[in-house]
Amino acid sequence: MPQNLPRLGFSVGDLAGIGPEVIYKTLLDERLLKLCTPVIYGTATALFDDFPTPADSEHLQFRQLRDAADIAPGRLNAVTCWDEDFVLAPGQPSPATGAAARESLLCAARDLKAGKLDGLVTAPISKDNTQADDFRFPGHTEFLTSFFEAPESLMFLVDEDASLRIATVTGHIPLKDVPARLTAELLRTKITLLLKSLKNDFGILKPRIAVLGLNPHAGENGLLGKEEGDIVSPVIQQFAHDGHLVVGPFPPDGYFGTQQFRQFDATLALYHDQGLIPFKLMAFERGVNFTAGLPVVRTSPDHGTAYGLAGQYKANESSFRAAVYLACDIWKQRWEDAQPRSAR
């Protein structure tokens, strides 16, 4: 077992959304401190002192820090990211809440790169409200891929309770751009990342991967589209020739409708909604978004800011809690793999 628990940074997301609430509810369970050392990136008093909670709710105690180097194991820690006073206005995003979300994420990412953290769990941001002159990314995944200088990354949706794992080849791009973006090289890269993650992050020695088709009925032998025959099938055949258990392309409707996905360790969708719609239908309250392919561990809940729910104390924290658990599990898996065999 590791000698120390992982130090997990929590970026707070858009303060007008449900991020602070799901973090608060997750931290109420003191058993979490036996799995990790949580580090909130934001001023704890601004986030939780005036938080809209029931009158009899528990008050969380934080160590407010200026430097993550002073993190205390077994305690709730908070690193100051801004000095301005915030008046939380649930459901009302503003330039100030977007700036706070950016600064929380940037501070946590810098500390993760510097080795002061072992992983990062990100609360939801508004992709539009977070944009700035020095922050032009469509989401966490793209920012972190750039920040950690990874050649590529993989959006990977995980529900470990149901053994459901769905990754995507393309991410936050318009649907009309997907066919042009889908190349044999990109597909090979994403399959390679998925195979590596299933082995290194989930401990699956011989992963079974299903690849979906792009067009209705997976192209119907070229009648409804040629991408399957020209791009997808040849790449799959090469992986199979090299000894990997990669099969497809499958028509997505029948594949999910008949629950064929249960025969595989992971499914590779070709575009965002093709993978995320079935995933969220089956695992919305406990699913986790994991960014595979990074040199660091990053997870997040699989939902958004939910502005319409903010401030009502009705948000479900299950997905955020699952994101914390998965970050701990992946960190542990990587830590154990890094140990000499004689020390295992």
Side-chain angles (χ1 to χ4, degrees):
M1 288 293 292
Q3 298 299 312
N4 300 300
L5 299 179
R7 301 158 298 174
L8 295 186
F10 293 2
S11 62
V12 297
D14 196 306
L15 301 183
I18 62 172
E21 180 178 335
V22 296
I23 292 174
Y24 172 83
K25 289 179 174 178
T26 298
L27 295 179
L28 284 176
D29 190 343
E30 294 182 355
R31 292 175 297 178
L32 194 69
L33 294 175
K34 296 181 179 180
L35 299 176
C36 66
T37 297
V39 187
I40 312 301
Y41 277 78
T43 307
T45 53
L47 290 170
F48 303 114
D49 277 9
D50 297 321
F51 192 65
T53 60
D56 60 349
S57 61
E58 182 178 340
H59 182 74
L60 296 176
Q61 298 291 330
F62 288 87
R63 291 182 71 251
Q64 191 70 49
L65 313 169
R66 283 285 179 180
D67 191 332
D70 297 326
I71 292 169
R75 298 280 302 279
L76 299 180
N77 299 266
V79 174
T80 300
C81 297
W82 55 74
D83 293 317
E84 310 96 294
D85 289 330
F86 277 94
V87 177
L88 289 182
Q92 299 179 38
S94 67
T97 65
R102 278 195 311 276
E103 194 57 32
S104 176
L105 175 61
L106 287 167
C107 286
R110 285 193 289 264
D111 283 350
L112 184 57
K113 180 178 278 190
K116 297 177 182 180
L117 298 173
D118 299 302
L120 174 63
V121 184
T122 58
I125 59 172
S126 163
K127 294 173 176 57
D128 175 61
N129 195 39
T130 310
Q131 299 301 306
D133 291 341
D134 58 349
F135 192 96
R136 294 293 180 189
F137 299 96
H140 285 110
T141 302
E142 293 80 4
F143 163 71
L144 293 167
T145 302
S146 173
F147 188 83
F148 287 97
E149 301 175 331
E152 268 289 354
S153 64
L154 185 72
M155 185 183 294
F156 198 178
L157 284 300
V158 178
D159 175 10
E160 284 295 84
D161 288 346
S163 297
L164 175 64
R165 306 182 188 95
I166 301 177
T168 66
V169 174
T170 59
H172 297 121
I173 63 172
L175 184 59
K176 65 180 179 61
D177 295 339
V178 170
R181 191 73 63 88
L182 182 64
T183 63
E185 180 181 3
L186 179 63
L187 185 56
R188 281 193 293 269
T189 297
K190 298 294 186 176
I191 292 175
T192 300
L193 285 174
L194 184 53
L195 285 167
K196 183 177 180 180
S197 181
L198 289 169
K199 292 177 183 177
N200 296 344
D201 299 327
F202 296 89
I204 301 172
L205 298 180
K206 190 71 172 178
R208 300 162 298 172
I209 294 175
V211 181
L212 302 182
L214 177 68
N215 299 292
H217 304 286
E220 197 71 69
N221 295 320
L223 180 65
L224 303 178
K226 298 186 180 299
E227 287 84 0
E228 287 80 6
D230 293 346
I231 299 171
V232 182
S233 289
V235 171
I236 291 172
Q237 290 166 8
Q238 184 60 56
F239 275 94
H241 179 268
D242 293 340
H244 299 290
L245 301 178
V246 179
V247 296
F250 292 95
D253 54 349
Y255 176 82
F256 287 111
T258 61
Q259 300 195 38
Q260 200 169 2
F261 65 88
R262 298 190 183 281
Q263 301 173 19
F264 298 92
D265 297 304
T267 302
L268 185 62
L270 300 187
Y271 58 93
H272 184 280
D273 284 11
Q274 186 185 59
L276 270 69
I277 288 175
F279 182 85
K280 291 190 176 185
L281 182 64
M282 291 183 278
F284 188 71
E285 291 187 346
R286 60 182 185 273
V288 178
N289 181 7
F290 165 54
T291 306
L294 299 182
V296 296
V297 178
R298 178 262 170 165
T299 63
S300 73
D302 71 348
H303 57 71
T305 54
Y307 290 131
L309 198 61
Q312 302 176 46
Y313 207 68
K314 296 179 180 178
N316 189 324
E317 77 279 12
S318 299
S319 182
F320 192 89
R321 183 185 295 113
V324 176
Y325 289 163
L326 184 63
C328 293
D329 289 344
I330 291 173
W331 174 82
K332 179 183 175 184
Q333 181 70 42
R334 292 186 183 184
W335 186 92
E336 291 179 342
D337 286 348
Q339 303 310 303
R341 289 190 177 274
S342 58
R344 298 184 190 179

